[in-house]
Amino acid sequence: MGGWFLAHMEGFTVGPKGIEEGTSKTKAANLASFSDSSPIVVALQFEGFSVSFVQCRGFPVWLKYVPGISFRTDNEPFKVFVSSFFMAMQGFTEKIVGLMKAENLFESQGGPIILSQINTCNGFYCDSFAPNKPYKPTIWTEAWSGWFSEFGGTIHQRPVQDLAFAVAKFIQKGGSFINYYMVGVQTSQMEMLPTNGIFSWESYNEDISSLDDSSTFTTAGLLEQINVTRDASDYLWYMTSVDIGSSESFLHGGKLPTLIVQSTGHAVHIFINGQLSGSAFGTRENRRFTYTGKVNLRPGTNRIALLSVAVGLPNVGGHYESWNTGILGPVALHGLDQGKWDLSWQKWTYQVGLKGEAMNLLSPDSVTSVEWMQSSLTAQRPQPLTWHKAYFNAPEGDEPLALDMEGMGKGQIWINGQSVGRYWTAYASGNCNGCSYAGTFRPTKCQLGCGQPTQKWYHVPRSWLKPTNNLLVVFEELGGDPSRISLVKRSLASVCAEVSEFHPTIKNWQIESYGRAEEFHSPKNFIATLYLVPSRFHVSIVQCPLAHLPWGKPWASFEDSGVFKAQSKQAKKWQVQPCSPQTRSKLRLEMLAISPEANGFAIPIT
C-alpha cells in the first residue's frame, strides 16, 4: 500500500434559479484513472456546495437580497435556502455514490475507496466530537495543522507537539481516522526553479480621464458598493468634483488641504485630476479604514475619483449579509479657507468596473482597438491601473508551475481567459518572536514570515495551458515592474524519512487488556535515511548497513550482495554504490512519478 488520499467531490452550485451541476462525472473518471496507476487508498469526502471552496467568494451575492434573510441564524428565509440545499445535497450524494459504483471504485468492488463520509469533525481539536449515529466511526477529516493566511498577515504554523497531542486525545476518545488538512512538510526542502520562458510584455494604461456615459449614473450621496456592482466586478468608481477659488491660501504658499475618506472595505485608490494621490487598505479583521492625505488641488474645477476595491465576498461571521463594502463616508476636505468641506452628500457619479474589463482585455478572444505599447517604453515610469499582457509556451515536464509576482503591487491575473486570482505583495506584519505549544493553540500563537510578502507565488494549473501561445494578462493597480514577473516550477530538494527495524507499532507493545503479554521489540538503531527528489524521482539512502535494511515487497529489497533489486513497475533504473556501517555511501533509485496529475508522492517504508 503506497499511501492514501482524501478526495473532495464538489458537485453543484446553488443559484437563484436552482441547482447547477458541476464536474462530478469528470472528477469520478479522473479518480478512476488515477487510482488504476497509483498504489493508494481513498477517503471520499462530499462537498456539494462548491461556492465557498471553489470560487472562494462566500455565499452567492443574490442570497443577500432575499427579503428578510439573516445568514446562519434561526431565520425562515435562510432555512428555506438551507432546506433546498440539503435536498439537493441528498440527490448529489446519491449521484456521486452511483458514479463511484459505476467505475468500480469502492473497496468491495476491488477499488481504492475505503470509506465515504459526510458526518465528520473539522478543527484544531476533535476529542469531544461524536458522530450523529452510534454505529458510525469517529472521523477527523480536517486536523488543522495551521491556519489560512491573509494579505499582509503572517503565516500561522501549529507546533507539531500540539498537533500530536490533539491526535492522541482524539484516538483515546475513540477516534479512528485522521486527515491532516493543508500540511506543510517540515522535513522537506522546496525549491522554486525558473523555467526557460521569457515574457515580452505589452502594456495599456486604463484611461480614467474620460468615461463612457452609457455605463455611468449620477446620484446624491454615497452608495454601498455591492448593492451597485452585484459582484459583477471588484471595482467601483466614486467620482465628484470641487471648485477651488484662486484666492485660497494654499495656492499662495499655505499648507495643502487634506482629504479624508472613510471606507467600509476593502481598499481605495485616490485620484486627483487623473493622478494617483494615495491608497489605503483594510484587513480581514478590520475591514473599515480611513484614508488621510494631502491633495494637490488647482484653481477652478478639480476632479476627485475614488476607486473602491472589493477583495471578495464575506464567508464567515455572524449576520454578514448586513456587512457593508465600499465608501459610505464621510468624505471631506480639511484645510480650506472655509474650513471643513463635507463632500458626502453632493452629487457622485458611479461606474461599475474598469474599461479593460468592459473591453474584455483578459480574454484571448478579445477584439478591440486598444493600442498596446511595448513595456520597455513604459518601464521608466510605472503607472497605476495598467494592463500588461504577454504570450508564452508551456514549459516541458509535469512539475507544478507558479508565477513569481514579487516585483508587482496589487491586482489580478488571467491565463487564457481563466482567472488565476487576486495578487497582493503586501508585507507581513505580526509577532514572529517565538512559539510555544503550551496550552490551547490559536492561529496567532505561532507566526512566521514577518517582513516578507505574505504570498509571492501563484499557482498556474498546467491543465489551462496549450503547448504554445498562452496569453498571460495582469492588471496592476499600483505600479509594479512586469519585467520581474517569472514563471517558475516547484521542485523538492529533498524529503527525509528515517527507517528503523521493528519500528514501534501497536502490535509491538505489551497489551495487557488482551489477556496476554506480547514481546516488545524496541526500535533498533538508525538504519537508513531516505531522500526523495520528485523533480528527478530519486531516492537516496545513506548510512545503510545491508544486513539491517528491512525493505520488502512489493517495492524493493536488498540482497546480501549489495544489489538493489527492484520489484515494482514504478522502478525504472537504479545505481548502486557499496555501503557499510563504517562508510557513508549513497544509493540512488530513479523512479517514475506515481501520476503526472499527482502533486505529491508516497514512499512505503514498512
Side-chain angles (χ1 to χ4, degrees):
M1 185 179 296
W4 73 275
F5 124 138
L6 182 69
H8 287 265
M9 282 292 164
E10 296 139 344
F12 60 87
T13 58
V14 183
K17 296 182 179 180
I19 305 302
E20 304 168 8
E21 288 202 11
T23 56
S24 303
K25 190 171 184 179
T26 302
K27 292 185 178 182
N30 290 343
L31 179 60
S33 174
F34 178 69
S35 61
D36 284 343
S37 61
S38 306
I40 62 169
V41 292
V42 174
L44 184 65
Q45 182 177 23
F46 297 100
E47 193 61 60
F49 188 48
S50 65
V51 169
S52 293
F53 281 155
V54 176
Q55 298 176 354
C56 299
R57 298 177 71 81
F59 280 152
V61 69
W62 60 264
L63 192 63
K64 173 185 173 79
Y65 300 103
V66 172
I69 199 165
S70 179
F71 289 178
R72 291 182 172 175
T73 62
D74 186 10
N75 168 264
E76 287 303 320
F78 186 71
K79 287 192 290 186
V80 168
F81 165 75
V82 172
S83 175
S84 64
F85 163 69
F86 279 110
M87 287 178 64
M89 186 69 184
Q90 180 179 353
F92 163 69
T93 302
E94 293 171 354
K95 177 180 178 180
I96 290 298
V97 170
L99 287 173
M100 298 299 108
K101 286 183 176 179
E103 298 285 350
N104 296 319
L105 288 175
F106 285 99
E107 191 274 339
S108 60
Q109 301 173 295
I113 299 177
I114 59 173
L115 63 88
S116 57
Q117 56 77 32
I118 296 177
N119 178 228
T120 62
C121 180
N122 302 330
F124 290 116
Y125 304 95
C126 283
D127 51 283
S128 61
F129 168 76
N132 57 7
K133 300 290 183 182
Y135 58 82
K136 291 184 178 181
T138 304
I139 295 176
W140 190 358
T141 45
E142 293 183 12
W144 297 342
S145 59
W147 194 239
F148 297 102
S149 56
E150 61 181 276
F151 291 124
T154 53
I155 306 301
H156 305 291
Q157 186 173 29
R158 186 178 185 183
V160 67
Q161 296 91 336
D162 183 73
L163 184 56
F165 179 62
V167 169
K169 289 199 299 179
F170 177 70
I171 295 174
Q172 183 186 43
K173 295 294 184 66
S176 58
F177 181 98
I178 303 101
N179 170 56
Y180 298 98
Y181 187 57
M182 297 186 294
V183 171
V185 183
Q186 297 184 16
T187 55
S188 303
Q189 293 181 348
M190 185 177 73
E191 296 178 331
M192 302 301 286
L193 305 177
T195 62
N196 295 327
I198 298 176
F199 297 125
S200 178
W201 292 99
E202 295 179 292
S203 299
Y204 166 74
N205 292 331
E206 184 85 6
D207 184 6
I208 65 173
S209 62
S210 61
L211 295 170
D212 182 0
D213 291 338
S214 64
S215 64
T216 65
F217 68 92
T218 301
T219 189
L222 299 164
L223 303 179
E224 199 275 340
Q225 180 166 342
I226 304 302
N227 287 343
V228 177
T229 66
R230 297 296 173 117
D231 200 34
S233 172
D234 280 357
Y235 304 98
L236 178 63
W237 284 103
Y238 294 71
M239 295 167 286
T240 192
S241 60
V242 294
D243 291 326
I244 299 298
S246 59
S247 62
E248 282 286 342
S249 299
F250 75 87
L251 296 173
H252 303 280
K255 293 182 179 180
L256 291 176
T258 299
L259 178 66
I260 297 178
V261 178
Q262 291 193 15
S263 171
T264 60
H266 303 126
V268 66
H269 305 304
I270 312 295
F271 291 85
I272 305 296
N273 296 322
Q275 300 297 313
L276 179 64
S277 183
S279 301
F281 313 96
T283 66
R284 186 180 64 85
E285 293 293 337
N286 299 296
R287 302 178 307 280
R288 295 176 177 270
F289 62 91
T290 300
Y291 169 84
T292 302
K294 300 291 186 181
V295 286
N296 190 10
L297 302 177
R298 62 194 180 198
T301 300
N302 293 262
R303 189 177 187 215
I304 298 175
L306 313 177
L307 181 60
S308 181
V309 186
V311 187
L313 298 175
N315 58 9
V316 67
H319 302 282
Y320 58 78
E321 76 286 346
S322 63
W323 295 0
N324 291 320
T325 303
I327 301 166
L328 294 182
V331 175
L333 281 169
H334 294 258
L336 300 174
D337 290 348
Q338 70 182 56
K340 175 184 173 181
W341 186 354
D342 191 340
L343 308 177
S344 305
W345 287 100
Q346 67 180 49
K347 287 187 177 181
W348 288 84
T349 298
Y350 295 87
Q351 176 178 288
V352 176
L354 306 166
K355 280 196 170 182
E357 290 178 305
M359 293 186 291
N360 204 24
L361 296 183
L362 54 93
S363 172
D365 302 324
S366 173
V367 179
T368 67
S369 57
V370 167
E371 294 185 4
W372 294 86
M373 297 180 59
Q374 290 294 324
S375 288
S376 59
L377 301 177
T378 61
Q380 299 295 327
R381 189 179 179 185
Q383 295 292 317
L385 306 190
T386 301
W387 296 83
H388 305 281
K389 75 172 182 177
Y391 291 90
F392 68 99
N393 297 333
E396 295 182 354
D398 56 11
E399 301 95 338
L401 301 175
L403 285 168
D404 187 337
M405 302 294 292
E406 190 171 9
M408 302 300 284
K410 180 182 181 297
Q412 298 189 44
I413 311 167
W414 297 266
I415 290 182
N416 293 330
Q418 299 272 9
S419 174
V420 172
R422 307 175 184 92
Y423 69 88
W424 194 352
T425 52
Y427 284 77
S429 175
N431 182 0
C432 299
N433 293 328
C435 175
S436 171
Y437 59 85
T440 302
F441 175 77
R442 291 293 179 264
T444 56
K445 198 169 186 179
C446 298
Q447 303 178 48
L448 302 173
C450 292
Q452 300 294 323
T454 302
Q455 182 175 350
K456 70 172 185 174
W457 293 312
Y458 295 83
H459 180 226
V460 175
R462 279 188 177 268
S463 60
W464 291 3
L465 301 183
K466 303 176 294 183
T468 60
N469 208 40
N470 295 283
L471 174 62
L472 169 62
V473 175
V474 175
F475 175 68
E476 169 61 40
E477 297 175 19
L478 299 174
D481 181 2
S483 68
R484 295 177 59 188
I485 298 175
S486 61
L487 186 65
V488 297
K489 58 185 179 181
R490 187 185 71 188
S491 174
L492 291 181
S494 66
V495 177
C496 173
E498 291 190 0
V499 180
S500 59
E501 194 170 3
F502 299 126
H503 191 76
T505 66
I506 193 65
K507 292 182 179 180
N508 287 342
W509 295 94
Q510 179 178 339
I511 307 176
E512 296 180 354
S513 61
Y514 286 175
R516 56 190 173 91
E518 296 185 4
E519 180 183 359
F520 169 62
H521 300 283
S522 60
K524 291 188 176 181
N525 290 335
F526 165 82
I527 291 180
T529 298
L530 310 183
Y531 293 99
L532 178 64
V533 186
S535 61
R536 298 178 62 188
F537 306 108
H538 280 167
V539 175
S540 300
I541 302 180
V542 296
Q543 290 187 336
C544 48
L546 295 184
H548 293 158
L549 284 167
W551 286 42
K553 295 180 180 180
W555 286 78
S557 65
F558 274 87
E559 296 178 349
D560 291 340
S561 62
V563 177
F564 190 85
K565 182 179 179 181
Q567 296 179 332
S568 169
K569 65 181 180 181
Q570 273 75 22
K572 186 170 71 171
K573 60 183 179 180
W574 53 90
Q575 300 173 355
V576 179
Q577 297 179 357
C579 55
S580 66
Q582 293 79 25
T583 306
R584 290 181 62 90
S585 59
K586 184 177 293 185
L587 172 68
R588 303 182 70 85
L589 171 64
E590 188 169 310
M591 304 187 70
L592 295 175
I594 289 176
S595 167
E597 293 81 20
N599 291 329
F601 46 84
I603 312 176
I605 58 176
T606 57

